[in-house]
Amino acid sequence: MVVEEVGLKQRGSLSWGVRNLMRRKQVDSERGRGESSHGSPRQQLAKELSVIQLIAIGVGSTIGAGVYVLVGTVAREHSGPALTISFLIAGIAAALSAFCYAELASRCPSAGSAYHYSYICVGEGVAWLIGWALILEYTIGGSAVARGISPNLALFFGGPDSLPFFLARAQIPWFDIVVDPCAAILVLLVTALLCVGIKESSFVQGIVTIANVCVMLFVIIAGGYLGFQTGWVGYSVPSGYFPFGVNGMLAGSATVFFAYIGFDSVASTAEEVKNPQRDLPLGIGFALTICCSLYMLVSIVIVGLVPYYAMDPDTPISSAFSSHGMQWAVYIVTAGAVTALCSTLMGSILPQPRILMAMSRDGLLPSFFSDVNKRTQVPVKSTILTGICAAMLAFFMDVSALAGMVSVGTLLAFTIVAVSILILRYVPPDEVPLPSSLQESIHAVSVRFSQESDVENAKADVQTCKDKNEQCEDGISSSSNSEASVEDPLIEKQIVQDKVAEQKRRNVAALNIAFVCIGVLLLTSAASAAYLPSLLRYVACIIGGLLLLCGLIMLSWIDQDETRHSFGHTGGFICPFVPLLPICCILINVYLLINLGTGTWLRVSLWLVIGVLVYLFYGRTHSSLRDVVYVPTAHADEIYRSSSEIVA
């Protein structure tokens, strides 16, 4: 029987442990929203967000105070006057990930972002690691942002140490710990705001984001006026437009790329969007476009006002205005930095409760995290727990040294989202998990398909006997079906051939997707491993490049899967230039991952090991997919129609 054969084939070909890691869930549908994995009715988030609010969330989460510092650092050390091109290249690289996010967000509009997409396309094991890495990213990211607010806020009170005593930083004797009450209080205030409701919190974030954008517009307009008055002295340096060469400009692009991290927060709110198929791609696209435009315009102005080698690496924008007699502008720029940090803080804390909720819905975390408040329709318990953890970190720890760990979670998510696009287009899941409560309906449909298959085989036997002028030994009479049976064997043969050809295409596509991933890993690792002998590096680069090129050519040559048109929620954004675009996205993100540094990877590895233990001792045994039966997608609708049960 169809379903039983599939199950037996899986059990025979893969070990039990590997099957757990590779099991995939289906895209949320009306059928799949009846109950959570814990047996209680699944509570939905409020659908309150429109395009404007999504743009505010995206811009507010992306434009942090880093731009007020990066301009000086990158111009002095890497790009020089070519800083604008560095921002443009980094923006294009970020757009590759944005295209992939836009398609998956519109096809799979549920909470969880990259965790949710990888669970559908790749498997439970990878999805768990992505979700666990994102938890670390948002917790440390929020704490680091909060610690950066108090020094900027102190400038309004007269200086770095001028905050009121109950907000000022203080050192605890004997422990060498500098506590930051202001950072902790700000985290708790943002947490309280997020608990009120998504509509209210997005409104406040929109106001703060508008204030930040206004400050950046002031920098652009006032700085442009000064530039025309003084003749743009920064572009008249003797070393020219590329003082550090093209390589320096590209190194600057790699540095400022992290200034674009944040637009993925839009995808985490997918379940709260009124029209996700239309609004999510627009929100992601417009947010990234606005950020890139503002970054480029600010960099054009600032590197034109002051020669790149004379920039203050800590306060490049304020010092640029001060050098032209506008000392009062420091207060406006500082206000912009504070509003940017506050908006980024909201954008850091907002996604994490939704990821925790998605993981809890799938049974990988306790049901506590998936509880949604009936009045506000937000995951209040997860939000409060997230806020408390972030506030404690911000209060006790200087997490700036851990900032690189934030990049690991983001880049891993970007990479897996791009891989998910390749899987969706070439080898989308052809089986869906159904709960064991539908076993009776599954059995009935399986028996019916088996009987139909026997009838078709019998007709084929009749035709074969007629062609050979032999007496059929099974006694089947062809008197009533002789006309129908003339063509059935040919049709049956064609169907079998089509199935074999399609399975061959899927196998070739899966193999070449693996070639791409292995080739990218080899190429980027060898290119970055300066400690290896030159010959070994060249050989590894050549092998990796050939695997990558082979995978790209083969994926461009073979057809994409026809079922991609009906996968998930249709009618949304379609990522262009597949497979080239997602492969370029994978290459860029893996290269940045490899170059994050050994110390960062050691700290992240420790966190991931903890995550593996949590999965082994809890998530694996409580997963909502532990007792499901996988059936071919073509049979799922009929099984649902024959049963009154609702998918858990």
Side-chain angles (χ1 to χ4, degrees):
M1 292 183 288
V2 176
V3 177
E4 293 177 354
E5 288 176 354
V6 171
L8 290 172
K9 183 178 179 181
Q10 288 178 334
R11 291 180 179 88
S13 59
L14 295 173
S15 68
W16 179 77
V18 175
R19 282 192 292 112
N20 283 348
L21 296 176
M22 296 183 64
R23 54 193 179 191
R24 299 184 284 190
K25 68 176 184 178
Q26 67 181 118
V27 180
D28 286 348
S29 62
E30 294 302 321
R31 296 192 188 106
R33 293 176 180 173
E35 293 183 352
S36 69
S37 64
H38 305 282
S40 59
R42 175 175 289 189
Q43 299 165 304
Q44 298 298 309
L45 303 179
K47 289 187 174 293
E48 298 284 355
L49 299 180
S50 61
V51 176
I52 301 298
Q53 291 161 313
L54 291 177
I55 294 173
I57 291 173
V59 174
S61 301
T62 304
I63 299 182
V67 67
Y68 294 93
V69 179
L70 277 178
V71 170
T73 304
V74 177
R76 282 176 60 96
E77 299 177 3
H78 300 292
S79 301
L83 177 63
T84 305
I85 300 180
S86 293
F87 270 112
L88 176 61
I89 294 173
I92 294 172
L96 301 181
S97 295
F99 280 126
C100 298
Y101 264 95
E103 175 167 347
L104 289 172
S106 60
R107 285 185 183 270
C108 315
S110 292
S113 187
Y115 158 79
H116 181 62
Y117 311 146
S118 57
Y119 206 163
I120 292 172
C121 296
V122 184
E124 184 174 285
V126 172
W128 168 264
L129 289 179
I130 293 298
W132 193 251
L134 289 176
I135 291 173
L136 178 71
E137 170 196 341
Y138 291 125
T139 302
I140 293 181
S143 302
V145 168
R147 297 271 307 197
I149 294 178
S150 51
N152 287 280
L153 201 59
L155 294 177
F156 291 104
F157 291 87
D161 300 318
S162 303
L163 282 174
F165 73 94
F166 60 91
L167 295 178
R169 291 181 176 179
Q171 185 169 1
I172 299 179
W174 307 297
F175 290 101
D176 195 25
I177 295 176
V178 178
V179 297
D180 193 336
C182 180
I185 292 172
L186 287 171
V187 171
L188 294 176
L189 287 175
V190 169
T191 301
L193 176 62
L194 292 174
C195 290
V196 173
I198 187 64
K199 185 176 181 180
E200 292 78 7
S201 60
S202 62
F203 176 76
V204 174
Q205 187 171 15
I207 294 176
V208 176
T209 301
I210 289 173
N212 181 29
V213 170
C214 287
V215 171
M216 297 187 75
L217 290 176
F218 164 79
V219 171
I220 294 167
I221 295 171
Y225 173 78
L226 288 176
F228 283 111
Q229 291 292 318
T230 58
W232 300 104
V233 295
Y235 293 110
S236 303
V237 292
S239 53
Y241 196 71
F242 297 95
F244 301 97
V246 176
N247 289 335
M249 181 197 67
L250 294 176
S253 298
T255 303
V256 301
F257 175 82
F258 297 102
Y260 289 96
I261 289 176
F263 66 84
D264 52 317
S265 298
V266 176
S268 68
T269 64
E271 193 172 313
E272 296 157 287
V273 180
K274 296 177 182 178
N275 186 354
Q277 278 70 43
R278 183 197 66 185
D279 294 349
L280 280 170
L282 290 176
I284 293 173
F286 278 118
L288 192 60
T289 301
I290 291 171
C291 293
C292 185
S293 301
L294 289 173
Y295 286 159
M296 292 177 64
L297 290 172
V298 168
S299 62
I300 287 173
V301 169
I302 297 305
V303 297
L305 290 178
V306 181
Y308 70 92
Y309 49 80
M311 281 188 178
D312 187 326
D314 297 321
T315 58
I317 297 179
S318 300
S319 60
F321 281 103
S322 298
S323 66
H324 289 81
M326 295 177 63
Q327 286 81 3
W328 53 268
V330 66
Y331 294 103
I332 297 178
V333 174
T334 302
V338 171
T339 56
L341 284 167
C342 290
S343 182
T344 306
L345 178 60
M346 294 181 66
S348 296
I349 298 179
L350 173 68
Q352 182 169 329
R354 284 144 183 85
I355 293 175
L356 291 171
M357 182 188 69
M359 298 175 76
S360 176
R361 283 176 173 178
D362 296 328
L364 303 182
L365 289 176
S367 59
F368 170 87
F369 296 100
S370 59
D371 186 41
V372 176
N373 185 275
K374 294 182 179 179
R375 186 177 65 85
T376 62
Q377 290 185 278
V378 296
V380 172
K381 293 180 180 178
S382 296
T383 304
I384 292 175
L385 183 62
T386 296
I388 292 174
C389 292
M392 290 178 63
L393 276 177
F395 183 76
F396 287 107
M397 294 181 61
D398 182 6
V399 292
S400 59
L402 307 178
M405 299 171 70
V406 176
S407 303
V408 172
T410 302
L411 294 174
L412 281 175
F414 285 4
T415 303
I416 292 300
V417 165
V419 173
S420 297
I421 286 291
L422 293 177
I423 293 174
L424 188 153
R425 292 297 190 90
Y426 290 96
V427 282
D430 55 356
E431 297 171 1
V432 295
L434 300 185
S436 55
S437 58
L438 296 177
Q439 185 65 54
E440 185 176 345
S441 299
I442 294 171
H443 179 74
V445 172
S446 182
V447 169
R448 184 159 63 251
F449 272 94
S450 179
Q451 291 174 344
E452 292 175 359
S453 178
D454 291 341
V455 171
E456 294 299 325
N457 291 335
K459 290 179 180 181
D461 290 340
V462 170
Q463 182 62 28
T464 302
C465 292
K466 289 175 63 178
D467 291 342
K468 295 182 178 180
N469 294 318
E470 296 175 353
Q471 182 66 31
C472 295
E473 296 179 358
D474 56 4
I476 297 177
S477 174
S478 62
S479 58
S480 60
N481 295 320
S482 58
E483 292 183 2
S485 65
V486 171
E487 296 179 355
D488 284 350
L490 298 178
I491 297 175
E492 181 73 18
K493 182 178 180 181
Q494 184 62 44
I495 292 174
V496 171
Q497 290 177 345
D498 290 343
K499 288 182 178 178
V500 171
E502 173 60 15
Q503 187 58 47
K504 182 179 179 181
R505 186 203 62 80
R506 288 177 65 91
N507 292 339
V508 172
L511 181 64
N512 282 279
I513 292 175
F515 281 170
V516 167
C517 296
I518 296 171
V520 166
L521 189 59
L522 272 176
L523 181 61
T524 54
S525 300
S528 305
Y531 55 88
L532 291 178
S534 299
L535 180 60
L536 184 59
R537 290 181 64 191
Y538 290 143
V539 171
C541 284
I542 291 172
I543 295 175
L546 289 176
L547 286 174
L548 175 59
L549 189 61
C550 174
L552 174 60
I553 293 173
M554 288 299 297
L555 290 175
S556 302
W557 178 64
I558 63 177
D559 294 329
Q560 297 183 25
D561 197 290
E562 289 297 327
T563 59
R564 71 186 188 279
H565 299 298
S566 58
F567 185 85
H569 297 253
T570 58
F573 178 81
I574 301 297
C575 180
F577 308 117
V578 176
L580 179 61
L581 188 148
I583 289 177
C584 290
C585 180
I586 295 169
L587 182 62
I588 292 170
N589 291 316
V590 172
Y591 176 78
L592 293 174
L593 275 170
I594 294 294
N595 286 277
L596 281 178
T598 306
T600 297
W601 273 108
L602 288 175
R603 290 189 286 267
V604 171
S605 298
L606 178 61
W607 174 255
L608 294 180
V609 168
I610 296 173
V612 169
L613 294 176
V614 174
Y615 174 75
L616 291 176
F617 289 103
Y618 185 88
R620 177 179 58 86
T621 56
H622 291 78
S623 171
S624 61
L625 302 181
R626 65 189 181 278
D627 294 324
V628 299
V629 180
Y630 283 89
V631 302
T633 306
H635 302 160
D637 288 337
E638 186 167 352
I639 292 172
Y640 278 117
R641 285 195 298 267
S642 65
S643 173
S644 59
E645 297 288 339
I646 300 178
V647 178

